[in-house]
Each structure stands twice: as C-alpha cells, then as structure tokens.
Amino acid sequence: MTKQLNLLAVFGLALVLAGCTAPEPISPAASSPKAAAEPTSGSDYAIPDVAAECVDGTVTVVDDSSNVTIDGDCENVVIEASNSMVTVTGSVVNLSFESSITLVTAPAVEHVTFVEGANGNKVATPSVPVVDDGGEGNVVSAE
C-alpha cells in the first residue's frame, strides 16, 4: 500500500510540474506597439430640430435628444423630454420638468418646478423665477 501511495505522489508531482513550464519567449513583432486605429469622420447622427406649438396656453415637450423651439409666449411649458435643448422665444409663467438632463433657455420665466426624479436640468433665463426643486443637480441661472 505504501508503494501505491508513493507512485500516486510521484504521479501527482509530475502533473503539477508539467503545468509549470517556462513561458514561451515573446517575439519582437508581438511586443512592438500597434498602430492606432484610423480616425473616423463625424457621426452620421444629426440632432433633430423640432418645433413645438403652444396650444391653449400649454406645450408639452416629449422629443428626447432634440433641439426644440417654442415660438412666442406660453403660459405652461412641461418638459418630459430628456437630454434635449429647448428654446422658448417668449415668456413662460410655469416651467415644469418631469425629465432629466435638459436645457431650457427663455427670456422670462416666473416659476420653475423640478419634480422628484427630474435631475441634472438647467434653466437659462435673465429673470429670477421662483423655484421648487424636488430633484437633484438642477440649476437656474442668468446665462
């Protein structure tokens, strides 16, 4: 029985040592720096331009990843679109955000509301609106 255990131990040691071979040398071609990938020209994606219309004193912006223009005054502007840029050419009484990462530019805004979960938005207006912020990282500035 001792002879069998010795044979098993030698066989096991041989298997372990077989797995511990010296690494193969690296060829000079494999260690040379690779050329950078060819730069690609601009993306084929174009940000869509969207015109939104204020109807009966309200407009709801729903176009994600877009440049949206609202011509004239609008009492209520509701932003449901994320990752967009919205330009209002007139005055806004109530501007509310129900989305994230959107920039709204307007010459005058009276009241801004960011609901819970509306994060990372920005309002650029020279006016000083009343702000209710239930989100995080939102900014209202005179830019």
Side-chain angles (χ1 to χ4, degrees):
M1 175 115 171
T2 305
K3 199 175 207 179
Q4 286 178 333
L5 287 175
N6 286 341
L7 281 175
L8 283 175
V10 169
F11 182 70
L13 182 61
L15 285 176
V16 170
L17 291 175
C20 296
T21 59
E24 292 184 28
I26 299 174
S27 69
S31 64
S32 64
K34 298 192 189 250
E38 285 291 316
T40 57
S41 60
S43 170
D44 290 336
Y45 179 76
I47 298 172
D49 290 324
V50 177
E53 187 177 340
C54 186
V55 178
D56 295 328
T58 302
V59 62
T60 301
V61 177
V62 296
D63 297 291
D64 291 338
S65 303
S66 299
N67 288 322
V68 180
T69 302
I70 303 165
D71 284 326
D73 297 340
C74 193
E75 184 176 349
N76 302 299
V77 176
V78 179
I79 308 296
E80 293 180 357
S82 291
N83 201 33
S84 292
M85 295 183 352
V86 179
T87 302
V88 183
T89 62
S91 298
V92 177
V93 176
N94 298 301
L95 173 60
S96 63
F97 287 82
E98 299 175 8
S99 62
S100 297
I101 315 170
T102 295
L103 166 66
V104 174
T105 305
V109 179
E110 289 182 31
H111 190 263
V112 178
T113 302
F114 300 101
V115 300
E116 184 177 345
N119 304 321
N121 296 292
K122 181 175 182 179
V123 177
T125 181
S127 61
V128 182
V130 174
V131 178
D132 294 320
D133 194 351
E136 294 179 11
N138 298 304
V139 176
V140 178
S141 69
E143 292 179 47

